[in-house]
Amino acid sequence: MGFDSHRFAEGRPLKLCGVKVPFGKGLDGHSDADAPIHALIDAMLGASGLGDIGEVFPDTDPKWKDADSTALLAEAMGMLLQVGWMVGNCDITIICEKPKLGPHKLAMREKIADVLGLDMSAVSVKAKTAEGMGFCGNGEGVAAYAVVILDEAEE
Ligand code: MG
């Protein structure tokens, strides 16, 4: 399983699961701050014994400055394949008070499925509010959880 959160910041595009979501602000971070993809990468790396996203893609590395997180996801998938694993299926939950993500969930599933080379039926993206509570509820930022089940990589 993986978790990530990022704080909203002015002057940045909002990208979630590799999809640009129209909103007045984006998320702050070294890369494009795509919290659900970061949670997914952490779940993948963790389940395959490869460490965590901070070790593999350190935010001190200029290579990942403003990086498109779908590129990090593709790189993480390559690392899994090297040790004999692939993602069997995955489930992502995004917690965000605003904007409403319902209209974007299908595009998010398509994007993740495309990057991982999976059928869309193996990729789930869910979105929830935090009912006005805490840092997600008061609109400070976005949090995301991800769960993956690994399959043995095909030879
Ligand atoms: Mg992150």
Side-chain angles (χ1 to χ4, degrees):
M1 75 154 303
F3 171 81
D4 194 32
S5 58
H6 282 270
R7 181 186 296 275
F8 277 120
E10 303 289 337
R12 286 173 63 94
L14 178 59
K15 266 177 64 187
L16 298 169
C17 292
V19 173
K20 267 194 187 165
V21 177
F23 194 48
K25 49 198 167 181
L27 294 172
D28 199 18
H30 183 68
S31 67
D32 63 3
D34 192 325
I37 285 189
H38 294 178
L40 177 59
I41 290 172
D42 244 359
M44 290 163 56
L45 294 175
S48 51
L50 292 170
D52 65 46
I53 191 169
E55 295 166 2
V56 175
F57 306 108
D59 62 9
T60 49
D61 188 340
K63 186 178 171 190
W64 309 120
K65 176 93 179 88
D66 295 323
D68 182 336
S69 291
T70 58
L72 274 59
L73 180 59
E75 185 138 333
M77 187 184 76
M79 292 177 61
L80 260 68
L81 290 173
Q82 281 183 2
V83 293
W85 293 111
M86 58 180 281
V87 174
N89 58 59
C90 63
D91 184 22
I92 297 168
T93 300
I94 306 170
I95 305 160
C96 176
E97 208 72 14
K98 275 180 191 165
K100 289 286 175 203
L101 300 180
H104 306 285
K105 287 192 295 188
L106 186 63
M108 291 177 185
R109 285 179 67 200
E110 282 171 349
K111 175 64 88 174
I112 299 292
D114 184 46
V115 174
L116 294 178
L118 296 174
D119 191 272
M120 260 187 61
S121 63
V123 177
S124 161
V125 175
K126 311 196 296 296
K128 305 182 71 70
T129 72
E131 302 274 337
M133 298 178 288
F135 72 88
C136 290
N138 68 23
E140 247 178 285
V142 171
Y145 294 90
V147 174
V148 306
I149 289 180
L150 298 181
D151 270 350
E152 286 182 23
E154 290 143 16
E155 291 294 310

